[in-house]
Amino acid sequence: MLYAMIAKDAPGALQTRLDTRPVHLDHLNSLGKKLVFAGALLDAEDKPEGSIVVFEAENLAEAQAMADADPFVAAGVFSSYEVKRWRVAINTTGVEF
């Protein structure tokens, strides 16, 4: 099953995001095939203002644990984040989920 973490950055968190990014990427890479995709949400000036991360997990608790373990959470980059079950409606990538 797929789960999406939708996160919104805290005001003024850009420098913390940049400083924490290497360990954040290490965390995401450590998830292996459980990580489907991840990326920053960008504002009008193409600066990060949040994130979307899609996990493959057995259940919501597993997906929530992966999200909670993200170093961006501990560093206070996000003002809020939630994990929701996600279903692919259209997929033009050729990758099966």
Side-chain angles (χ1 to χ4, degrees), residues 64-87:
Q64 187 70 53
M66 286 187 273
D68 293 344
D70 190 317
F72 277 177
V73 172
V77 171
F78 301 141
S79 63
S80 66
Y81 67 101
E82 62 181 334
V83 178
K84 299 280 193 178
R85 178 88 167 86
W86 186 68
R87 177 180 55 221

Side-chain angles (χ1 to χ4, degrees), residues 44-55:
E45 285 107 34
D46 282 344
K47 292 182 183 168
E49 65 176 6
S51 296
I52 294 179
V53 180
V54 176
F55 307 106

Side-chain angles (χ1 to χ4, degrees), residues 3-4 9 16 25 30 32 46 51 55-56 58 62 67 84:
Y3 293 86
D9 285 7
T16 304
L25 294 177
S30 77
D46 282 344
S51 296
F55 307 106
E56 187 165 356
E58 292 296 318
E62 181 186 7
K84 299 280 193 178

Side-chain angles (χ1 to χ4, degrees), residues 6 10 24 59:
I6 304 114
H24 162 73
N59 52 50

